[in-house]
Amino acid sequence: MTPLVTAAVLLAAVTHASWNAIAHRITDKLVGFTLISGGGMLIGLAIIPFAAVPAAGAWPYLIASSCVHIAYYALLMRSFRLGDFGQAYPIARGTAPLVVTVLAALFAHEVPDGWVAAGIALSCAGLTGVALWGLRGRRPDWAAIGAALATGLSIAVYTVVDGLGVRASGSSLGYIAWLMAVQGAVIPAYALTRRRAQFVPVLRPFARIGLLGAALSVAAYGLVLWAQTRAELAPIAALRESSIKSGSCSNTLRVQGLE
């Protein structure tokens, strides 16, 4: 991994932590996810006219990734309902790089050497250790842990799918724009069916901060996609998750259930 790619992934990690912090400031999590996902869709639509259309070989990956992202959002929301953020999110993000390593070896023929594999394992151990430390003295919530593990699996799957897709696309910018545009409508549509007449009133107080979170989210994942065209998938996944260590250790990161 070159210094430029490393810097891009670390910047993505910081940006990722920033939009997560913004999301956690919005008490109503459905509102937060709606603004960030819907805002990402609007940003994607705005970029599309100025970016190259992804090559034909990238579209099966892009569509598959959109479906997996929808499953990821559903599982993440379930994790948030069942257990607090400090337990669920480190497990989800900490297990993902290990699964990415296996999937990348199978589908991208990227087998890390011993030192890289050790680094990935150490990073994952640090992340899951955050969750285990939070469980000390308490009985584990196995339903929440199971949901978090399923969330981690979905993260790993879309990471590899997008890594292969963006490499086939010929345009990192075009791929992220279309990905955001395709997947971004699902949560707002769900929120509209749930809130109906209250849809706009509940969004309005958080619109500015939510759209800022959307911009940071698109930037974070766009940097990761660009990096995936220039380095192997597993080390990028492990380095990206460095953002979770500081965020998950904070006592302020607590998530309420969806209303």
Side-chain angles (χ1 to χ4, degrees):
M1 195 182 301
T2 67
L4 179 60
V5 172
T6 300
V9 177
L10 289 174
L11 178 59
V14 173
T15 311
H16 179 92
S18 299
W19 81 255
N20 271 268
I22 288 173
H24 301 150
R25 290 184 59 186
I26 302 175
T27 305
D28 186 325
K29 296 306 157 188
L30 183 55
V31 169
F33 276 103
T34 297
L35 288 169
I36 291 172
S37 181
M41 178 190 67
L42 295 177
I43 293 169
L45 291 172
I47 293 173
I48 282 174
F50 307 100
V53 177
W59 283 94
Y61 295 107
L62 196 151
I63 299 301
S65 174
S66 297
C67 294
V68 177
H69 269 90
I70 294 167
Y72 159 71
Y73 286 130
L75 288 166
L76 186 60
M77 290 178 184
R78 178 171 174 79
S79 296
F80 286 169
R81 283 198 299 266
L82 293 174
D84 71 35
F85 180 82
Q87 174 183 334
Y89 209 50
I91 292 174
R93 307 303 305 202
T95 55
L98 289 178
V99 182
V100 169
T101 303
V102 175
L103 295 179
L106 291 174
F107 297 104
H109 308 294
E110 295 177 358
V111 180
D113 61 29
W115 285 109
V116 173
I120 293 170
L122 181 61
S123 176
C124 293
L127 288 166
T128 53
V130 170
L132 294 176
W133 178 257
L135 285 174
R136 67 193 188 282
R138 293 190 294 163
R139 183 177 180 180
D141 185 339
W142 295 112
I145 291 173
L149 290 172
T151 304
L153 177 60
S154 69
I155 293 168
V157 172
Y158 77 61
T159 296
V160 174
V161 170
D162 281 333
L164 297 174
V166 74
R167 291 172 181 178
S169 70
S171 170
S172 301
L173 185 61
Y175 189 91
I176 186 65
W178 278 98
L179 180 64
M180 294 296 106
V182 170
Q183 74 178 32
V186 175
I187 292 180
Y190 171 75
L192 181 59
T193 62
R194 288 289 302 273
R195 301 299 171 84
R196 297 178 183 175
Q198 294 299 313
F199 182 72
V200 173
V202 298
L203 294 182
R204 188 178 291 117
F206 305 100
R208 290 185 180 181
I209 192 171
L211 292 177
L212 173 60
L216 291 171
S217 174
V218 173
Y221 203 49
L223 286 168
V224 169
L225 289 177
W226 174 83
Q228 288 177 325
T229 65
R230 287 161 173 78
E232 294 186 350
L233 303 180
I236 290 173
L239 186 60
R240 180 192 178 207
E241 304 311 342
S242 64
S243 67
I244 310 304
K245 292 181 182 178
S246 58
S248 297
C249 288
S250 172
N251 291 328
T252 63
L253 298 184
R254 291 293 183 267
V255 178
Q256 306 294 329
L258 290 175
E259 298 178 357

